[in-house]
Amino acid sequence: MITFIVRRLIATVFLLIVVSIIVYAIFFLLPRLAGQNTYQLATQYVGRNPTRSAVLAIEDKLGLNAPVYLQYGRFLKAIVFGTHYNSGTSTTYCPPPCFGYSFKTQQPVWPQMVSDIPVTLSLAIGAAIIWLVGGVAIGVLSALRRGTFFDRFSMGVALLGVSLPIFFTGLILLELFSYKWPIFPNVQFVTLTQNPYLWARNLVLPWICLAFLYAALYARLTRAGMLETMSEDYIRTARAKGLRERKVIFKHGLRAALTPIVTIFGMDLGLLLGGAIITEYTFSLHGLGLFTIEAVQNQDLPEILGVTMQAAFFIVVANLVVDILYAVVDPRVRT
């Protein structure tokens, strides 16, 4: 098991390096291949209505005249060790992990993202617990009660949840439970350490909105997996040996049916940690999703680059966790 984890960790490091190469090439190599020169590239880092002197200063400060491979090496070094930017009259230090300075705020990108991570983390983990527990439980019950009213009703609700977009569900929840019936009147983020009760209460609607979509998908997948697993020969053998039905369902049936659920759960959670864009925008929660929208609207390349790398990191780490959980659920993948 330890050897398996070490192999996956090494592969994860190499995968992150490959992702960084691709992301950096998108922002710096492809524009050059399309015909842009270093002056035009530097213009994008100055902001709107740039002067020639400002563009030349940025071009020299960021070292855009250097070969792309050398720029990429400096980029990796800045992420790991930080870097110094020389503007001619002064030197500015960007601490690691350094993704550069924002156009708009002229502040390092990483501290701005760090301030938004608690919002996205709270939203993603809270909703993930709800949809995983709720979706799997409903899927198992529907499979065990196949053809009953509960099965038809729950799968109908699941179909509704998959079909409705998040922004529509979020607006309905806000209209009903925040405006018409002010049960959750003030949907604003409060840190867990500041007030745990307000933290949970203010995130109930975003959690439900986000979990409704995913729980519906997980319920349908779990039901299909359980129906297939419970018809296998080894399940009949377990029952013939006299095992309790509860043990047959949870130890033999559910464990096998959870394999695809683990895969999509890791991917979904990784994507959400990269930024739940629609949910954050609907409920005006300033997390990584809203941070991404503002970066794109402001054409702030350092912020876009930083949030892209962070989202890629979360997804790659989520894949690593999924691989490890696979080894726990199914020992055959360790070989």
Side-chain angles (χ1 to χ4, degrees), residues 4-26:
F4 173 80
I5 295 175
V6 171
R7 289 203 311 264
R8 292 306 184 191
L9 286 173
I10 295 174
T12 299
V13 172
F14 280 106
L15 184 57
L16 283 173
I17 294 175
V18 172
V19 169
S20 68
I21 293 174
I22 295 174
V23 172
Y24 195 82
I26 290 174

Side-chain angles (χ1 to χ4, degrees), residues 102-231:
S102 168
F103 294 162
K104 185 177 180 181
T105 63
Q106 294 299 312
Q107 299 293 324
V109 173
W110 175 248
Q112 298 181 68
M113 291 194 296
V114 168
S115 64
D116 291 332
I117 288 178
V119 180
T120 301
L121 194 64
S122 299
L123 177 62
I125 292 180
I129 293 174
I130 294 175
W131 88 57
L132 182 63
V133 175
V136 171
I138 292 174
V140 171
L141 290 176
S142 295
L144 296 178
R145 301 179 181 180
R146 182 180 182 181
T148 63
F149 172 77
F150 176 84
D151 180 30
R152 294 190 177 92
F153 177 77
S154 60
M155 289 301 102
V157 174
L159 180 61
L160 184 67
V162 173
S163 305
L164 292 178
I166 290 178
F167 63 85
F168 177 81
T169 307
L171 292 176
I172 294 297
L173 290 174
L174 283 173
E175 174 64 25
L176 293 179
F177 300 105
S178 187
Y179 304 137
K180 186 175 182 179
W181 303 309
I183 302 175
F184 306 102
N186 192 19
V187 182
Q188 293 182 353
F189 180 74
V190 178
T191 60
L192 178 62
T193 56
Q194 180 181 350
N195 191 319
Y197 170 74
L198 287 179
W199 170 81
R201 193 194 71 171
N202 292 351
L203 288 175
V204 167
L205 292 184
W207 284 343
I208 294 175
C209 175
L210 192 56
F212 184 50
L213 170 65
Y214 287 94
L217 176 62
Y218 280 53
R220 295 172 65 87
L221 289 175
T222 304
R223 178 182 182 274
M226 283 295 293
L227 288 176
E228 180 180 358
T229 302
M230 296 304 289
S231 63

Side-chain angles (χ1 to χ4, degrees), residues 43-334:
T43 302
Q44 303 177 52
Y45 281 82
V46 179
R48 298 177 181 178
N49 303 321
T51 62
R52 179 175 177 80
S53 59
V55 173
L56 292 176
I58 287 295
E59 185 179 356
D60 180 67
K61 179 179 180 179
L62 299 181
L64 296 178
N65 289 321
V68 175
Y69 68 87
L70 186 58
Q71 293 182 48
Y72 174 72
R74 293 171 179 170
F75 171 72
L76 282 185
K77 180 182 177 182
I79 293 178
V80 179
F81 302 106
T83 188
H84 290 83
Y85 288 110
N86 186 4
S87 58
T89 58
S90 62
T91 300
T92 306
Y93 176 67
C94 182
C98 179
F99 296 104
Y101 282 81
S102 168
F103 294 162
K104 185 177 180 181
T105 63
Q106 294 299 312
Q107 299 293 324
V109 173
W110 175 248
Q112 298 181 68
M113 291 194 296
V114 168
S115 64
D116 291 332
I117 288 178
V119 180
T120 301
L121 194 64
S122 299
L123 177 62
I125 292 180
I129 293 174
I130 294 175
W131 88 57
L132 182 63
V133 175
V136 171
I138 292 174
V140 171
L141 290 176
S142 295
L144 296 178
R145 301 179 181 180
R146 182 180 182 181
T148 63
F149 172 77
F150 176 84
D151 180 30
R152 294 190 177 92
F153 177 77
S154 60
M155 289 301 102
V157 174
L159 180 61
L160 184 67
V162 173
S163 305
L164 292 178
I166 290 178
F167 63 85
F168 177 81
T169 307
L171 292 176
I172 294 297
L173 290 174
L174 283 173
E175 174 64 25
L176 293 179
F177 300 105
S178 187
Y179 304 137
K180 186 175 182 179
W181 303 309
I183 302 175
F184 306 102
N186 192 19
V187 182
Q188 293 182 353
F189 180 74
V190 178
T191 60
L192 178 62
T193 56
Q194 180 181 350
N195 191 319
Y197 170 74
L198 287 179
W199 170 81
R201 193 194 71 171
N202 292 351
L203 288 175
V204 167
L205 292 184
W207 284 343
I208 294 175
C209 175
L210 192 56
F212 184 50
L213 170 65
Y214 287 94
L217 176 62
Y218 280 53
R220 295 172 65 87
L221 289 175
T222 304
R223 178 182 182 274
M226 283 295 293
L227 288 176
E228 180 180 358
T229 302
M230 296 304 289
S231 63
E232 294 288 342
D233 292 337
Y234 71 89
I235 296 294
R236 288 192 289 269
T237 302
R239 285 172 172 162
K241 290 168 60 178
L243 295 179
R244 293 182 179 180
E245 185 67 14
R246 180 180 299 178
K247 189 173 183 179
V248 171
I249 293 172
F250 289 103
K251 184 176 181 180
H252 299 281
L254 182 59
R255 184 172 181 177
L258 281 180
T259 303
I261 300 299
V262 169
T263 304
I264 63 171
F265 178 72
M267 291 298 299
D268 290 338
L269 185 59
L271 290 171
L272 286 181
L273 290 175
I277 297 178
I278 300 178
T279 306
E280 291 179 10
Y281 187 80
T282 302
F283 291 92
S284 299
L285 297 172
H286 204 292
L288 292 175
L290 202 55
F291 178 87
T292 304
I293 293 177
E294 294 176 351
V296 174
Q297 290 175 342
N298 295 328
Q299 299 181 5
D300 202 328
L301 288 184
E303 289 187 350
I304 297 174
L305 180 62
V307 77
T308 303
M309 285 297 300
Q310 181 166 323
F313 172 78
F314 280 131
I315 294 173
V316 170
V317 171
N319 275 310
L320 172 63
V321 174
V322 167
D323 288 340
I324 295 175
L325 289 178
Y326 259 165
V328 174
V329 174
D330 190 352
R332 293 173 298 178
V333 304
R334 301 177 193 172

